[in-house]
Amino acid sequence: VHLVDGGGGSVQAGGSLRLSCNASGSLDSIRIMAWFNQPPGKDRWAVALIDGDGNTEYHDRVKGRFTISRDNGGTTLYLQMNSLKPADTAMYYCAATTTERYMYSNPKRYDVWAQGTQVTVFS
């Protein structure tokens, strides 16, 4: 499985961005997909998760503002980010696990990663 993400950029606080992640390869092996966030100098943490049935989980910091979704073919993962705050500034990574059955927030549970896309929110 290979992941390529993008869609980041610079936006004023209160604005919106939509990140996307294109998956290729053995798509049937993907069990869970997720978006992670890594602010400068800090650990990576799970922003939003989605399983093959469309069930989702969100970090408390983004509930009500961010929405994770996948297209019907399962080839593209999205993260719609609304009401962005300067605290959302970070590198965002798309990730997938081909081994785990449950939606873990620990990045070590994910074995496929995209290169990351930078999101900068200015006030």
Side-chain angles (χ1 to χ4, degrees), residues 14-92:
S16 299
L17 283 173
R18 188 174 81 156
L19 306 184
S20 62
C21 174
N22 292 316
S24 60
S26 301
L27 300 183
D28 290 344
S29 66
I30 296 176
R31 296 174 180 265
I32 308 292
M33 295 193 76
W35 286 99
F36 283 81
N37 166 316
Q38 185 166 24
K42 297 186 178 180
D43 292 335
R44 196 170 294 189
W45 53 273
V47 174
L49 316 173
I50 188 167
D51 67 11
D53 294 325
N55 298 306
T56 58
E57 291 187 2
Y58 296 91
H59 194 283
D60 286 346
R61 296 181 190 179
V62 305
K63 282 182 180 177
R65 299 190 298 124
F66 291 10
T67 303
I68 188 171
S69 62
R70 292 177 71 175
D71 66 355
N72 288 335
T75 59
T76 307
L77 179 73
Y78 299 100
L79 184 69
Q80 178 66 43
M81 305 187 295
N82 298 328
S83 302
L84 283 162
K85 306 174 182 179
D88 296 320
T89 295
M91 186 72 79
Y92 285 73

